[in-house]
Amino acid sequence: MPNYRGSATLRPMSDLSNKHIVLGLSGGIACYKAAELCRALVKEGATVQVVMTEAAAQFVTPVTLQALSNNPVYVSQWDSREPNNMAHINLTRHAHAMLVAPASADFMAKLLHGRADDLLSLMCLARPTETVPLLLAPAMNREMWAHPATQRNMAQLRQDGATVLGVGQGDQACGEVGDGRMLEPDELLYALTALFQPKVLQGKRVLISAGPTFEAIDPVRGITNLSSGKMGFALARAAHEAGALVQVVAGPVSLATPYGVSRTDVRSALDMHAAVMAQVEHADVFIATAAVADWRVAQVAGEKIKKGSDGLPNLDWVENPDILAGVAASTRAQSGDLYCVGFAAETQYLQAQAQAKRTRKGVPLMVGNLGPATFGQDDNALLVIDEAGVTEWPRASKLSLARQLVADIAVRISAKETP
Ligand code: CTP
């Protein structure tokens, strides 16, 4: 029997369970996206209190938002439904966060001056700043966005403690093209979810290799493997949520880049090796989740190899560099400035193979998983192996396991940093 040291807890609840979110809408066509965001927040388990400016109510109706949030919507500071007539106090005291989406240029200019002549701005000013963080999702025409007044206002709002989110780029409702679109509902949902994750890797730089590699044989063929990259991308998201600056080097995968994460796309093991080596000197943590092909053909054919009378093609193979072992042997890793984590994908004898791999590659932490049971799946089960032994982490979503692993790595790093 393996020497398991207990098991990590699962996360049975949705990400925003028990969270009370005030969703504010100021005037702008992006209000239609706020309706979708409201629905997504409720689906994630949040209770949502919608507050709209009169301008916002020109774009979508309070009826729509009431139906989606399942709560009465407030527009006026004179709303007599509140027994003490103090909606600006009552609606902010139990909130876990306020998100204004869309935040118009005018609304941000107003906040900047501490003006409070409508319910939403009044609430932004009256909220307890220590316990109710304020997030602003700007949305406006590209010229309004680029105007020095808007940029100045946003810088000042950040200094005053608000989190001013970025904007999207592309076609605008006015017909122009450029910066200023409100972030999409899933990006805003992500920003709120990340807000509640502990910042255990704040400011750390994390490099992650992810996905398979593709080793060409000729211009139309090659060898690859079934890795989907999902575990690596889940780790990228979890590390970013934890406050890290995250860079992913991804083999050929069809996954969206997690919000806030930088990405370099590569194809072959040699490309991945070069990209990792170019970036690893800036990293504090290297997590190698990629399923790197062990071999490549010595000579890639310039033209398609034809089926013919010569029998089966004669391919010579050479071994690819071991990226993880190379990084783990570097001076920075050896001196403790870079923490390396490997992933062992096996089909049998998982514990023994992963333990041997940890020693062979010279890494402090090796995470073992069964390839066929995890490739392409949204969940996984892990063996976490260090010099002290093995811990079994039962099957859970990859994001949940990624968050646990990020927390675990943070503890290990801080134990090394604390003399
Ligand atoms: N790895 C790497 N470069 C390689 C091969 C593997 O960086 N050329 C890393 C993987 O990203 C992973 C760990 O080494 O973190 C183990 O990878 P795995 O494919 O399980 O093992 P291999 O070293 O390839 O050994 P084998 O194929 O014999 O199981």
Side-chain angles (χ1 to χ4, degrees):
M1 278 291 287
N3 168 29
Y4 293 149
R5 284 189 278 123
S7 53
T9 34
L10 292 174
R11 295 171 54 88
M13 298 189 300
S14 300
D15 280 340
L16 294 177
S17 292
N18 302 326
K19 295 287 185 261
H20 181 62
I21 308 296
V22 173
L23 175 61
L25 281 68
S26 61
I29 185 58
C31 281
Y32 83 92
K33 290 195 208 172
E36 204 179 322
L37 171 63
C38 179
R39 187 172 170 75
L41 290 171
V42 172
K43 263 180 102 171
E44 276 304 308
T47 55
V48 182
Q49 174 61 64
V50 176
V51 178
M52 301 170 73
T53 64
E54 283 183 9
Q58 296 287 325
F59 291 91
V60 288
T61 69
V63 173
T64 306
L65 274 302
Q66 178 167 352
L68 293 173
S69 66
N70 200 25
N71 268 322
V73 172
Y74 285 72
V75 179
S76 164
Q77 69 268 47
W78 311 119
D79 195 315
S80 60
R81 283 175 295 181
E82 291 299 304
N84 60 357
N85 220 306
M86 294 192 199
H88 64 297
I89 304 294
N90 303 351
L91 299 184
T92 50
R93 291 309 181 254
H94 305 293
H96 292 99
M98 275 187 77
L99 167 62
V100 181
S104 67
D106 179 58
F107 188 76
M108 291 195 293
K110 188 189 241 185
L111 284 191
L112 169 73
H113 292 289
R115 285 183 50 204
D117 60 356
D118 70 290
L119 179 59
L120 187 56
S121 55
L122 192 52
M123 286 173 61
C124 290
L125 198 64
R127 79 187 204 285
T129 49
E130 291 294 311
T131 54
V132 187
L134 173 64
L135 283 79
L136 302 170
M140 65 201 73
N141 165 267
R142 67 191 176 101
E143 297 291 358
M144 295 166 73
W145 170 255
H147 198 286
T150 305
Q151 294 298 323
R152 200 169 54 231
N153 291 350
M154 290 193 305
Q156 184 60 52
L157 285 166
R158 285 192 178 105
Q159 273 199 17
D160 292 348
T163 299
V164 185
L165 302 169
V167 290
Q169 199 271 343
D171 291 340
Q172 301 203 307
C174 55
E176 297 181 358
V177 180
D179 290 336
R181 289 164 55 107
M182 189 171 81
L183 293 180
E184 297 304 317
D186 59 340
E187 293 173 313
L188 295 174
L189 183 65
Y190 171 81
L192 263 180
T193 307
L195 187 72
F196 298 113
Q197 294 301 318
K199 303 297 169 214
V200 291
L201 287 181
Q202 189 65 49
K204 296 284 183 203
R205 288 156 305 175
V206 176
L207 177 65
I208 298 172
S209 70
T213 63
F214 178 89
E215 311 301 321
I217 292 173
D218 67 20
V220 295
R221 302 186 183 89
I223 59 164
T224 185
N225 59 67
L226 293 173
S227 167
S228 62
K230 284 183 179 175
M231 193 69 220
F233 276 58
L235 274 161
R237 172 176 172 170
H240 180 258
E241 285 176 344
L245 304 164
V246 185
Q247 173 77 48
V248 172
V249 175
V253 295
S254 55
L255 296 174
T257 312
Y259 179 73
V261 168
S262 306
R263 171 173 178 171
T264 307
D265 284 319
V266 295
R267 200 161 86 130
S268 68
L270 287 182
D271 296 341
M272 184 173 277
H273 183 245
V276 166
M277 289 307 172
Q279 310 199 40
V280 78
E281 64 180 288
H282 307 295
D284 301 300
V285 180
F286 175 49
I287 310 176
T289 67
V292 186
D294 292 320
W295 319 279
R296 65 184 186 277
V297 293
Q299 197 64 50
V300 179
E303 301 299 336
K304 185 181 176 196
I305 301 171
K306 302 298 280 183
K307 209 165 37 177
S309 51
D310 297 346
L312 295 174
N314 208 355
L315 299 174
D316 290 327
W317 297 91
V318 286
E319 199 167 314
N320 279 321
D322 191 314
I323 304 169
L324 177 61
V327 171
S330 69
T331 319
R332 288 190 66 241
Q334 292 292 318
S335 65
D337 291 340
L338 171 67
Y339 191 82
C340 293
V341 183
F343 266 72
E346 309 296 341
T347 56
Q348 58 178 350
Y349 310 122
L350 175 59
Q351 183 178 329
Q353 302 266 26
Q355 275 177 316
K357 231 171 239 184
R358 191 186 83 84
T359 314
R360 198 166 69 238
K361 308 230 176 196
V363 293
L365 194 63
M366 180 62 75
V367 181
N369 55 180
L370 289 169
T374 183
F375 284 172
Q377 307 290 317
D378 290 325
D379 56 11
N380 201 355
L382 304 178
L383 286 189
V384 177
I385 298 166
D386 61 13
E387 64 177 350
V390 180
T391 311
E392 185 184 22
W393 289 12
R395 189 157 279 278
S397 77
K398 287 185 175 175
L399 181 57
S400 166
L401 290 168
R403 285 176 177 154
Q404 289 177 44
L405 191 58
V406 160
D408 187 85
I409 291 169
V411 170
R412 290 169 190 275
I413 294 174
S414 65
K416 277 162 65 75
E417 285 171 351
T418 317

